[in-house]
Amino acid sequence: MIPASKDDLRKIAAPAAATTAASTWARQMSRYSAFALLSNALTGNHHWPRAWRDAQPKAQYDVVIVGAGGHGLASAYYLTSEHGISNVAVLEKGWLGGGNTGRNTTIVRSNYMIEGNTAFYEFSLKLWQDLSRALNYNVMYSPRGQLNLVHSKAQWDAAARRGNIMRLNGIDAELLPLSEVQKKAPYLDYSQNMRFPIQGALWQGRAGTVRHDAVAWGYARAADSHGVDIIQQCEVTGFLRDNGRISGVETSKGPIKAGKVAICVAGNSSRLANMAGLRLPIESHVLQAFVSEPLKPVIDTVISFGAGHFYISQSDKGGLVMGGDLDGYNSYAQRGNLPIVEDVLTTAKALIPFTSRLRILRHWGGITDMTMDGSPIIARMPIDGLYLDGGWCYGGFKATPAAGWCLAWTIAKDEPHELNRKFTLERFADGTLIDEKGAGPIPAAH
Ligand SMILES: Cc1cc2nc3c(=O)[nH]c(=O)nc-3n(C[C@H](O)[C@H](O)[C@H](O)COP(=O)(O)OP(=O)(O)OC[C@H]3O[C@@H](n4cnc5c(N)ncnc54)[C@H](O)[C@@H]3O)c2cc1C
């Protein structure tokens, strides 16, 4: 079932969720309320409490989560708020939100069509819509809509098929003729002698952007308020075992015992799994992002080029945020190469001619964990006590709330929820792949 309303969301949550959510809400409101805003404004904003504690590790936890990105923090939050498991630590080798959560281009959408992905990403988009209220923290969800440009007759067919499948699943989708695209984005190059003339677009109106740092901070604050220990500068270097079962982790701050351990480390998934003796069907590649100097508001949607890999939106600070292909070779380095810079910026210029007059302010790289079918893994591992949330490729930011929600369910109940039942490790052995792009086992093509 794809949850269509807040009531549906509640139905698929654990029955205890309503009461815990109510008490969470009351607790959160007492911290960020109109009264707190007013009284702090009148007293020079010196009295805000820390958003989360600087916790030190205890000897033992029920659950240890490795990685304080959005996924690890969301999992910890839903473990406490949905399942009442609060003896939880999130261990982070650097600083909270410093991985891909703080490095992505902030796009959220649910325009998926393969069974397994469709319901999961729609669930995530529904959670985004309500997240600021649920966390009492403004994550700045901006449903500005996304244009997926269409450049050929074959792409019209593919867009129509995708849109129809989305609509049959209750997800908003609209095919826009060229005249409508021109109204929404008048600054694109519509000349018919360009290499890939624009013919129209597939539009999802509820797609948009979310402020990535705020997502990490909001989940961290909410998890901390439920008693979760978030421990930064604490690198996991190995696993403890007891009769073959994972019983904790070795860290740079000493051993920590745990009933269950979950790996949520994005580009480092294969490294961590390797420490536990597992070889994952994942390659790590760098993906870069680019921000221009700030402009007055000009691009008010998310735009994806259909004839190559390029996407663009405008941040609230005015910078044009752009991304493209990943670097072709495997790497764990969080910085990219110059050919991709050239590739992304020439595409920007071809599609939006005025960008030729802009300067790039910043660019950076993050390590993406590319699976062989482009879809994620949220599952128990073949070693007792070990769980994995990984293989998010280019697209795990939009999945953050649903991934955390499903991983928490899987850890708490030791079985997947309907929404993540297909995100197994075994599918790579038994052939039940979820190949959204139809690109086969070629990570660079996903
Ligand atoms: C440039 C770029 C653009 C992107 N754009 C989008 C987009 O527009 N939309 C979208 O949906 N997705 C996008 N993504 C993908 C998305 O950012 C990720 O899939 C998602 O943020 C992953 O979140 P996470 O919490 O799993 O990982 P992360 O945020 O990377 O968190 C993992 C954490 O684990 C920590 N860690 C690693 N090893 C250890 C260890 N041994 N011990 C302790 N801690 C450890 C890391 O320091 C890190 O903080 C993009 C990615 C990149 C790089």
Side-chain angles (χ1 to χ4, degrees), residues 106 108-109 125 128-129 139-146 172 184 203-211 300-302 316:
T106 76
V108 301
R109 55 184 169 86
L125 197 54
W128 282 123
Q129 290 175 290
V139 298
M140 298 166 74
Y141 165 56
S142 163
R144 57 185 68 183
Q146 184 187 19
D172 62 315
K184 283 196 189 295
W203 166 256
Q204 187 182 25
R206 287 178 309 135
T209 58
V210 181
R211 172 75 199 279
D300 60 357
T301 63
V302 176
D316 291 340

Side-chain angles (χ1 to χ4, degrees), residues 2 109-113 117-123 125-126 162-174 203-204 206:
I2 296 179
R109 55 184 169 86
S110 65
N111 52 356
Y112 285 74
M113 67 173 192
N117 283 339
T118 318
F120 174 84
Y121 285 102
E122 177 58 11
F123 177 56
L125 197 54
K126 291 234 157 67
R162 180 175 294 272
N164 283 334
I165 293 176
M166 288 166 65
R167 288 172 77 127
L168 285 170
N169 281 289
I171 302 167
D172 62 315
E174 216 179 315
W203 166 256
Q204 187 182 25
R206 287 178 309 135

Side-chain angles (χ1 to χ4, degrees), residues 87-110:
N87 185 22
V88 177
V90 185
L91 310 181
E92 168 55 50
K93 74 173 177 182
W95 67 96
L96 174 167
N100 288 356
T101 298
R103 292 165 187 270
N104 65 70
T105 39
T106 76
I107 299 166
V108 301
R109 55 184 169 86
S110 65

Side-chain angles (χ1 to χ4, degrees), residues 66-73 91-109 112 234-237 264-268 272 275 286-289 311 334 364-369 389-390 392-400:
V66 189
H71 288 225
L73 293 164
L91 310 181
E92 168 55 50
K93 74 173 177 182
W95 67 96
L96 174 167
N100 288 356
T101 298
R103 292 165 187 270
N104 65 70
T105 39
T106 76
I107 299 166
V108 301
R109 55 184 169 86
Y112 285 74
C234 181
E235 179 168 3
V236 170
T237 52
C264 300
V265 296
N268 285 290
L272 263 288
M275 291 176 197
V286 176
L287 178 64
Q288 301 185 59
Y311 46 93
Q334 287 192 141
W364 62 87
I367 315 164
T368 52
D369 37 340
D389 160 283
W392 291 101
C393 305
Y394 294 104
F397 177 65
K398 70 177 83 63
T400 305

Side-chain angles (χ1 to χ4, degrees), residues 28 52 70 161 291 299 397 431 436:
Q28 305 281 8
W52 53 83
R161 178 166 175 250
V291 175
I299 297 183
F397 177 65
E436 183 76 32

Side-chain angles (χ1 to χ4, degrees), residues 143-327:
R144 57 185 68 183
Q146 184 187 19
L147 288 167
N148 274 290
L149 299 176
V150 167
H151 307 266
S152 68
K153 198 166 176 318
Q155 281 192 338
W156 266 121
D157 290 345
R161 178 166 175 250
R162 180 175 294 272
N164 283 334
I165 293 176
M166 288 166 65
R167 288 172 77 127
L168 285 170
N169 281 289
I171 302 167
D172 62 315
E174 216 179 315
L175 273 179
L176 298 185
L178 185 59
S179 55
E180 290 297 316
V181 180
Q182 280 172 323
K183 273 189 221 153
K184 283 196 189 295
Y187 40 79
L188 300 181
D189 186 348
Y190 293 100
S191 45
Q192 288 303 300
N193 62 353
M194 71 185 292
R195 189 165 172 205
F196 300 108
I198 299 167
Q199 298 190 1
L202 181 63
W203 166 256
Q204 187 182 25
R206 287 178 309 135
T209 58
V210 181
R211 172 75 199 279
H212 49 7
D213 299 318
V215 174
W217 301 334
Y219 274 122
R221 174 172 161 272
D224 174 271
S225 76
H226 281 273
V228 170
D229 284 352
I230 301 167
I231 302 156
Q232 302 183 71
Q233 308 293 330
C234 181
E235 179 168 3
V236 170
T237 52
F239 291 91
L240 304 173
R241 286 182 188 249
D242 198 353
N243 281 331
R245 187 188 162 88
I246 297 291
S247 58
V249 286
E250 298 277 7
T251 80
S252 52
K253 296 196 177 196
I256 302 175
K257 291 197 147 247
K260 297 177 177 180
V261 176
I263 300 173
C264 300
V265 296
N268 285 290
S269 297
S270 36
R271 271 183 171 163
L272 263 288
N274 197 29
M275 291 176 197
L278 293 174
R279 188 156 179 250
L280 298 178
I282 285 179
E283 282 182 10
S284 289
H285 289 257
V286 176
L287 178 64
Q288 301 185 59
F290 305 82
V291 175
S292 76
E293 59 190 323
L295 302 179
K296 287 187 177 169
V298 55
I299 297 183
D300 60 357
T301 63
V302 176
I303 298 170
S304 296
F305 181 49
H309 206 149
F310 172 78
Y311 46 93
I312 188 164
S313 64
Q314 187 167 18
S315 78
D316 291 340
K317 284 192 281 185
L320 301 187
V321 182
M322 292 166 264
D325 261 328
L326 38 79
D327 287 5

